[in-house]
PDB file of all heavy atoms in Angstrom:
ATOM      1  N   SER A 249       4.047  22.618 -99.667  1.00 98.00           N
ATOM      2  CA  SER A 249       5.443  22.627-100.101  1.00 98.00           C
ATOM      3  C   SER A 249       6.114  23.927 -99.679  1.00 98.00           C
ATOM      4  O   SER A 249       5.445  24.912 -99.341  1.00 98.00           O
ATOM      5  CB  SER A 249       5.542  22.449-101.620  1.00 98.00           C
ATOM      6  OG  SER A 249       4.814  23.460-102.307  1.00 98.00           O
ATOM      7  N   ASP A 250       7.461  23.904 -99.726  1.00 98.00           N
ATOM      8  CA  ASP A 250       8.244  25.065 -99.324  1.00 98.00           C
ATOM      9  C   ASP A 250       9.478  25.150-100.211  1.00 98.00           C
ATOM     10  O   ASP A 250      10.071  24.120-100.569  1.00 98.00           O
ATOM     11  CB  ASP A 250       8.664  24.944 -97.861  1.00 98.00           C
ATOM     12  CG  ASP A 250       9.514  26.112 -97.406  1.00 98.00           C
ATOM     13  OD1 ASP A 250       8.950  27.193 -97.149  1.00 98.00           O
ATOM     14  OD2 ASP A 250      10.756  25.937 -97.334  1.00 98.00           O
ATOM     15  N   GLN A 251       9.871  26.368-100.536  1.00 98.00           N
ATOM     16  CA  GLN A 251      10.970  26.580-101.461  1.00 98.00           C
ATOM     17  C   GLN A 251      12.261  25.944-100.961  1.00 98.00           C
ATOM     18  O   GLN A 251      13.033  25.399-101.760  1.00 98.00           O
ATOM     19  CB  GLN A 251      11.178  28.084-101.687  1.00 98.00           C
ATOM     20  CG  GLN A 251      12.117  28.427-102.836  1.00 98.00           C
ATOM     21  CD  GLN A 251      12.183  29.920-103.106  1.00 98.00           C
ATOM     22  OE1 GLN A 251      11.432  30.701-102.517  1.00 98.00           O
ATOM     23  NE2 GLN A 251      13.075  30.323-103.998  1.00 98.00           N
ATOM     24  N   TYR A 252      12.522  25.984 -99.651  1.00 98.00           N
ATOM     25  CA  TYR A 252      13.763  25.414 -99.127  1.00 98.00           C
ATOM     26  C   TYR A 252      13.595  23.970 -98.669  1.00 98.00           C
ATOM     27  O   TYR A 252      14.438  23.111 -98.966  1.00 98.00           O
ATOM     28  CB  TYR A 252      14.304  26.250 -97.968  1.00 98.00           C
ATOM     29  CG  TYR A 252      15.639  25.739 -97.458  1.00 98.00           C
ATOM     30  CD1 TYR A 252      16.775  25.779 -98.266  1.00 98.00           C
ATOM     31  CD2 TYR A 252      15.765  25.194 -96.180  1.00 98.00           C
ATOM     32  CE1 TYR A 252      18.000  25.293 -97.813  1.00 98.00           C
ATOM     33  CE2 TYR A 252      16.988  24.718 -95.723  1.00 98.00           C
ATOM     34  CZ  TYR A 252      18.101  24.763 -96.541  1.00 98.00           C
ATOM     35  OH  TYR A 252      19.314  24.275 -96.104  1.00 98.00           O
ATOM     36  N   TYR A 253      12.521  23.650 -97.980  1.00 98.00           N
ATOM     37  CA  TYR A 253      12.372  22.322 -97.388  1.00 98.00           C
ATOM     38  C   TYR A 253      11.687  21.299 -98.289  1.00 98.00           C
ATOM     39  O   TYR A 253      11.631  20.121 -97.957  1.00 98.00           O
ATOM     40  CB  TYR A 253      11.639  22.419 -96.051  1.00 98.00           C
ATOM     41  CG  TYR A 253      12.490  23.015 -94.948  1.00 98.00           C
ATOM     42  CD1 TYR A 253      11.998  24.023 -94.130  1.00 98.00           C
ATOM     43  CD2 TYR A 253      13.796  22.583 -94.747  1.00 98.00           C
ATOM     44  CE1 TYR A 253      12.775  24.576 -93.119  1.00 98.00           C
ATOM     45  CE2 TYR A 253      14.581  23.122 -93.745  1.00 98.00           C
ATOM     46  CZ  TYR A 253      14.074  24.116 -92.937  1.00 98.00           C
ATOM     47  OH  TYR A 253      14.856  24.663 -91.944  1.00 98.00           O
ATOM     48  N   GLY A 254      11.132  21.738 -99.421  1.00 98.00           N
ATOM     49  CA  GLY A 254      10.565  20.796-100.366  1.00 98.00           C
ATOM     50  C   GLY A 254       9.107  20.476-100.113  1.00 98.00           C
ATOM     51  O   GLY A 254       8.297  21.370 -99.863  1.00 98.00           O
ATOM     52  N   VAL A 255       8.763  19.199-100.165  1.00 98.00           N
ATOM     53  CA  VAL A 255       7.376  18.734-100.052  1.00 98.00           C
ATOM     54  C   VAL A 255       7.049  18.445 -98.594  1.00 98.00           C
ATOM     55  O   VAL A 255       7.809  17.760 -97.901  1.00 98.00           O
ATOM     56  CB  VAL A 255       7.154  17.463-100.891  1.00 98.00           C
ATOM     57  CG1 VAL A 255       5.710  16.976-100.752  1.00 98.00           C
ATOM     58  CG2 VAL A 255       7.500  17.722-102.356  1.00 98.00           C
ATOM     59  N   LYS A 256       5.908  18.942 -98.136  1.00 98.00           N
ATOM     60  CA  LYS A 256       5.486  18.665 -96.766  1.00 98.00           C
ATOM     61  C   LYS A 256       4.786  17.315 -96.717  1.00 98.00           C
ATOM     62  O   LYS A 256       3.834  17.057 -97.461  1.00 98.00           O
ATOM     63  CB  LYS A 256       4.553  19.757 -96.253  1.00 98.00           C
ATOM     64  CG  LYS A 256       4.290  19.672 -94.753  1.00 98.00           C
ATOM     65  CD  LYS A 256       3.516  20.885 -94.257  1.00 98.00           C
ATOM     66  CE  LYS A 256       3.391  20.873 -92.731  1.00 98.00           C
ATOM     67  NZ  LYS A 256       2.675  22.069 -92.223  1.00 98.00           N
ATOM     68  N   LEU A 257       5.244  16.452 -95.824  1.00 98.00           N
ATOM     69  CA  LEU A 257       4.703  15.097 -95.712  1.00 98.00           C
ATOM     70  C   LEU A 257       3.726  14.935 -94.562  1.00 98.00           C
ATOM     71  O   LEU A 257       2.740  14.194 -94.683  1.00 98.00           O
ATOM     72  CB  LEU A 257       5.833  14.089 -95.520  1.00 98.00           C
ATOM     73  CG  LEU A 257       6.778  13.850 -96.678  1.00 98.00           C
ATOM     74  CD1 LEU A 257       7.744  12.735 -96.312  1.00 98.00           C
ATOM     75  CD2 LEU A 257       6.008  13.487 -97.934  1.00 98.00           C
ATOM     76  N   ALA A 258       4.015  15.594 -93.427  1.00 98.00           N
ATOM     77  CA  ALA A 258       3.210  15.323 -92.227  1.00 98.00           C
ATOM     78  C   ALA A 258       3.432  16.419 -91.198  1.00 98.00           C
ATOM     79  O   ALA A 258       4.387  17.195 -91.263  1.00 98.00           O
ATOM     80  CB  ALA A 258       3.580  13.965 -91.634  1.00 98.00           C
TER      81      ALA A 258
END
Side-chain angles (χ1 to χ4, degrees):
S249 57
D250 178 77
Q251 191 174 353
Y252 184 65
Y253 287 132
V255 179
K256 191 172 186 178
L257 292 185

